[in-house]
Amino acid sequence: MKIIIIGGGAAGASFAARMRRLDDQAEITIFEKTDETSIASCGLPYFIGNIINDRDDMQVAKPAFLKQLFNIEIKLNSKINKIDPQAKTVTTENGDTFPYDKLILATGAKPFVPNISGLEKTPHFVVKNLADADKIKTFIAQNNVKTACVIGGGFIGVETAENLQHLGIKTSLIELSPQILPPLDADMVAEVHNEVRKHGIDLYLNDGLKNVNTNEIELTSGKKIATDMLILAIGIKPETELAQTAGIKLNERGFVLTNEYMQTNFADIYACGDNVAVKDFVSGTQTAIALAGPANRQGRLIADHIAGAHPYPYTGTQGSGIVKVFELTAAFTGNNEKQLQKAQIPYEKMLIIANAHAGYYPQSQPLTLKVLYNKQGKILGAQAVGKDGVDKRIDVIATIMRLNGTVADLRDAELCYAPPYSGAKDPVNLIGMAIENVRNNLVRPYFGTDFANMLVLDVRPKAAYDAEHIENAVNIPAGQIRQRLAELPKDKTIMIHCFKGYTSYVVARILAQNGFNNIVSYAGGWSHYKTLMEDKK
């Protein structure tokens, strides 16, 4: 069997290695238009920032290794110009034609470079492959770079901005939308915005690149920023022109359409990686999510299908991801509020702030955790931000989601506990319990910063209230609440808040059992409110 793979990135290399393990006789050839295969593209910002120093570490599987261990033929700097599905051949730009029995399209995606006036006047770069990173590092080393602008606040943009700042380069981060890191909701990304600013990056939101002059950019707002270099991290678009000319079906955004086994409309042509449309695991709608994990799994799945070795379908992409932003970590899985609203999926939400490990053990750090769910208890998405333990909480919830678990499973999850690692009630358990309280009508959570027509009841100690508080808030410390119930109105909504949200829940229960009906408890407490207000400054 002759197998040709177009593209030597994560999906293509994953397929090739799995296919060889299943069939040692197949002729497997990778055509890669660059001189790189299987590079650690997610690590490129850290290579630029000299966090990763050894260039060899950026190549996960070198061509010599793939040839020696897996007997995979790799043709570098070989661009395929034509696919003939009827003749089952591919033709290179040099005019050489190669037959195939099975063809794998793993062409990936390419950075979007806007048509901006004057762009050629200032050195500008993208961050797609190792050669791009080499160019950036060389330019910085040879030109005494002092300032840089990163256009785009997605993963690559944020990580590259952090690493440029790490090199001592004054960096500006420009994002056209109201926030960076689009998978996060506005109430979760606020802490990340504050962290970016705290570390000296100038953050411009709701603003875009209008034009470029020599060593200066002008934003759509009219602001002008001096810069020695530009990093364009605006987004990506699929490399599917080759597929389109071959008659392979694409969606309206240009991504390859496949069935559940990653087959295109030609049964012997498969597609995987950043160039394919996938099913959203939560909504069931068609989407495109550029992540290394799904790309690798898709490559493996195709190999199993071709080899007939226990084939199984691709069941969708959750969009689980994680990003380091200076001292913070942000992670997410499933849908966020914007996605659910767009898909017209009703949802409820809960947000808590809990300690990443036992509060009495040294260096315990707060963790903000948010879960979206429906009235039946199905988990629709989760997000977390903090300095410690973010990854494992989202990984646990992502796994429960994949197994079609519910919010009750968050409550019941039996997770490892020792003081250095967690509390006896893990944050995953705590948010499950908090959701249970809401679903059982024991409390109503409140989100946001608008308290119009409410009495704001601050139940923190008087000293904390005196130091800072919400305007017009009434302070009754939690320990005095039973003795001072007469001071509270029963004909007005009372919004209760404490430091992080637990004590306000306790007070809400006291009031509810003493004739007060219009009570809400502020999710995340003063700590979360302060984060939101700081982001608005």
Side-chain angles (χ1 to χ4, degrees), residues 231-452:
I231 303 292
L232 301 175
I234 298 171
I236 59 172
K237 56 182 181 179
E239 293 219 54
T240 52
E241 296 86 354
L242 181 63
Q244 184 176 28
T245 58
I248 295 168
K249 290 184 179 179
L250 311 179
N251 68 6
E252 66 281 357
R253 295 176 58 201
F255 290 89
V256 178
L257 294 171
T258 70
N259 65 12
E260 59 188 350
Y261 296 105
M262 311 308 295
Q263 289 172 295
T264 68
N265 51 304
F266 297 99
D268 292 320
I269 301 178
Y270 296 73
C272 53
D274 295 351
N275 56 329
V276 302
V278 295
K279 182 178 75 172
D280 186 300
F281 182 79
V282 173
S283 68
T285 59
Q286 189 185 97
T287 187
I289 301 174
L291 290 169
N296 275 280
R297 291 195 300 278
Q298 290 161 14
R300 177 186 175 93
L301 179 156
I302 294 170
D304 280 38
H305 190 256
I306 291 174
H310 310 293
Y312 55 94
Y314 190 70
T315 55
T317 301
Q318 282 174 249
S320 301
I322 191 165
V323 59
K324 173 187 175 297
V325 186
F326 293 101
E327 297 173 30
L328 281 183
T329 299
F332 41 85
T333 189
N335 282 190
N336 59 27
E337 291 194 55
K338 296 182 290 292
Q339 290 170 305
L340 293 172
Q341 290 164 5
K342 183 178 180 180
Q344 298 184 328
I345 297 175
Y347 67 92
E348 308 289 335
K349 61 183 175 180
M350 177 49 70
L351 181 149
I352 66 168
I353 295 180
N355 291 325
H357 65 245
Y360 58 83
Y361 188 86
Q363 300 180 340
S364 181
Q365 297 284 351
L367 172 83
T368 305
L369 180 59
K370 178 178 182 179
V371 168
L372 305 172
Y373 61 99
N374 65 15
K375 287 189 178 297
Q376 292 73 43
K378 179 182 178 181
I379 305 167
L380 304 174
Q383 303 163 39
V385 177
K387 294 184 177 180
D388 182 32
V390 167
D391 52 344
K392 71 175 181 178
R393 272 68 192 214
I394 293 300
D395 281 343
V396 166
I397 297 174
T399 302
I400 291 172
M401 285 180 64
R402 177 60 67 167
L403 298 175
N404 295 311
T406 69
V407 291
D409 294 302
L410 303 179
R411 177 199 65 199
D412 295 338
E414 188 171 335
L415 306 174
C416 296
Y417 162 61
Y421 303 103
S422 181
K425 296 176 183 176
D426 188 87
V428 171
N429 301 135
L430 290 173
I431 200 162
M433 294 171 184
I435 292 170
E436 179 184 51
N437 290 336
V438 173
R439 298 184 77 206
N440 289 337
N441 298 314
L442 294 178
V443 66
R444 282 192 296 148
Y446 189 78
F447 309 90
T449 57
D450 182 5
F451 311 120

Side-chain angles (χ1 to χ4, degrees), residues 126-143:
V126 296
V127 184
K128 171 66 168 71
N129 52 41
L130 202 47
D132 295 327
D134 288 337
K135 291 175 185 176
I136 294 169
K137 287 169 71 75
T138 299
F139 181 81
I140 291 171
Q142 295 180 351
N143 292 277

Side-chain angles (χ1 to χ4, degrees), residues 94-230:
N94 297 327
D96 298 324
T97 298
F98 298 85
Y100 66 82
D101 295 305
K102 303 292 181 182
L103 177 65
I104 316 301
L105 292 178
T107 48
K110 57 187 174 184
F112 172 71
V113 178
N115 184 19
I116 296 290
S117 173
L119 189 59
E120 73 284 351
K121 296 179 182 179
T122 292
H124 58 280
F125 307 88
V126 296
V127 184
K128 171 66 168 71
N129 52 41
L130 202 47
D132 295 327
D134 288 337
K135 291 175 185 176
I136 294 169
K137 287 169 71 75
T138 299
F139 181 81
I140 291 171
Q142 295 180 351
N143 292 277
N144 192 30
V145 172
K146 299 293 185 184
T147 57
C149 285
V150 178
I151 313 299
F155 293 126
I156 292 295
V158 171
E159 291 170 341
T160 302
E162 175 184 342
N163 279 278
L164 291 174
Q165 193 78 1
H166 172 73
L167 292 174
I169 298 170
K170 176 60 180 175
T171 303
S172 298
L173 179 59
I174 295 95
E175 170 54 48
L176 188 60
S177 75
Q179 68 169 78
I180 61 174
L181 301 177
L184 293 177
D185 286 322
D187 55 354
M188 294 297 288
V189 82
E191 190 173 355
V192 183
H193 287 168
N194 297 338
E195 181 78 0
V196 167
R197 297 182 181 111
K198 184 179 80 173
H199 284 84
I201 290 178
D202 291 333
L203 182 60
Y204 297 86
L205 301 173
N206 289 304
D207 220 341
L209 184 62
K210 182 178 180 182
N211 59 61
V212 180
N213 299 310
T214 303
N215 296 114
E216 181 185 75
I217 64 170
E218 182 181 0
L219 304 183
T220 51
S221 64
K223 296 174 184 174
K224 295 182 179 180
I225 307 171
T227 187
D228 295 323
M229 63 183 293
L230 281 174

Side-chain angles (χ1 to χ4, degrees), residues 33 76-82 90-96:
K33 67 179 182 179
L76 298 177
N77 299 304
S78 295
K79 184 180 179 182
I80 299 296
N81 269 6
K82 181 182 178 183
V90 298
T91 303
T92 68
E93 61 183 349
N94 297 327
D96 298 324

